Amino acid sequence: MKTYIGTKQVRAISMTRKEYNELRGWQVPSDENPDDAGYLVKYLDSQPNHADYDGYILWSPTAVFEQAYRDTQQGMTFGDALVLLKQGERVARKGWNGKGMWLLLVKGACITEPINDCYGDPTRYERGNDGYEKGQSLPVLNAIYMKTADNKLVPWLASQTDMLAEDWVLVE
């Protein structure tokens, strides 16, 4: 078998197996404990399978759920934060001193034209053998930016401490 790792943003609420089965209109099988603790899990990126929810729902036992997911307000790894940034979310570290500071991923495709317009007609640049052709716009790559405590956006680079920290949170 191959090894897989998953990172997915979900919504969840504590719910017993009995409560979940009642929600779905099902009977708890006789070989299952209706008092088992667990979570109702809603996947945001999947087709709904229940009329009352806008995503796919399922029930997960507490131990299975807590091994797979971390509360986005209780502290995540830098890897978790990067996944959320790539999904368009904003993240921050609890340990940052500045109030209201957070990160976002700026999509280069969204700012390529404005940057090239700002610096004039790119046709004025002629290059040698670097693959750049006269008249070609320079592509802008995606980059992480920080919203500072004084409400400005600046390019951001992670420190060793940032990358190893586990106090990353989702900014709601």
Side-chain angles (χ1 to χ4, degrees), residues 54-126:
D54 60 354
Y56 187 89
I57 63 167
L58 58 82
W59 184 83
S60 176
T62 297
V64 173
F65 179 83
E66 291 177 353
Q67 187 175 14
Y69 298 102
R70 284 180 288 286
D71 184 335
T72 59
Q73 295 306 305
Q74 297 302 315
M76 300 178 290
T77 67
F78 183 58
D80 296 329
L82 279 175
V83 169
L84 291 174
L85 280 171
K86 289 178 180 181
Q87 292 174 355
E89 301 288 354
R90 295 174 297 157
V91 297
R93 285 199 51 208
K94 283 185 179 182
W96 280 341
N97 294 329
K99 299 290 182 205
M101 294 167 44
W102 42 260
L103 304 179
L104 78 152
L105 181 68
V106 173
K107 306 266 185 182
C110 295
I111 61 172
T112 296
E113 272 189 53
I115 286 180
N116 281 304
D117 289 347
C118 182
Y119 289 98
D121 182 358
T123 60
R124 68 185 175 140
Y125 300 106
E126 294 196 35

Side-chain angles (χ1 to χ4, degrees), residues 7-168:
T7 304
K8 186 175 253 230
Q9 186 180 164
V10 299
R11 302 259 193 248
I13 187 167
S14 183
M15 181 178 282
T16 66
R17 184 185 303 271
K18 178 183 177 189
E19 291 168 327
Y20 179 74
N21 277 275
E22 287 174 352
L23 172 80
R24 298 302 304 260
W26 301 339
Q27 294 284 4
V28 177
S30 60
D31 61 343
E32 294 181 3
N33 181 355
D35 297 324
D36 282 344
Y39 289 87
L40 167 75
V41 182
K42 179 175 81 168
Y43 291 89
L44 307 172
D45 60 352
S46 301
Q47 292 294 322
N49 62 342
H50 189 281
D52 295 339
Y53 292 87
D54 60 354
Y56 187 89
I57 63 167
L58 58 82
W59 184 83
S60 176
T62 297
V64 173
F65 179 83
E66 291 177 353
Q67 187 175 14
Y69 298 102
R70 284 180 288 286
D71 184 335
T72 59
Q73 295 306 305
Q74 297 302 315
M76 300 178 290
T77 67
F78 183 58
D80 296 329
L82 279 175
V83 169
L84 291 174
L85 280 171
K86 289 178 180 181
Q87 292 174 355
E89 301 288 354
R90 295 174 297 157
V91 297
R93 285 199 51 208
K94 283 185 179 182
W96 280 341
N97 294 329
K99 299 290 182 205
M101 294 167 44
W102 42 260
L103 304 179
L104 78 152
L105 181 68
V106 173
K107 306 266 185 182
C110 295
I111 61 172
T112 296
E113 272 189 53
I115 286 180
N116 281 304
D117 289 347
C118 182
Y119 289 98
D121 182 358
T123 60
R124 68 185 175 140
Y125 300 106
E126 294 196 35
R127 305 277 188 208
N129 295 324
D130 63 359
Y132 178 76
E133 297 177 20
K134 188 175 179 181
Q136 177 182 4
S137 291
L138 298 173
V140 177
L141 301 177
N142 295 351
I144 299 172
Y145 272 68
M146 173 184 271
K147 191 276 220 179
T148 63
D150 60 347
N151 296 317
K152 295 180 175 71
L153 288 177
V154 295
W156 181 81
L157 290 174
S159 68
Q160 290 284 323
T161 305
D162 290 326
M163 289 187 282
L164 296 172
E166 294 192 11
D167 67 344
W168 288 94

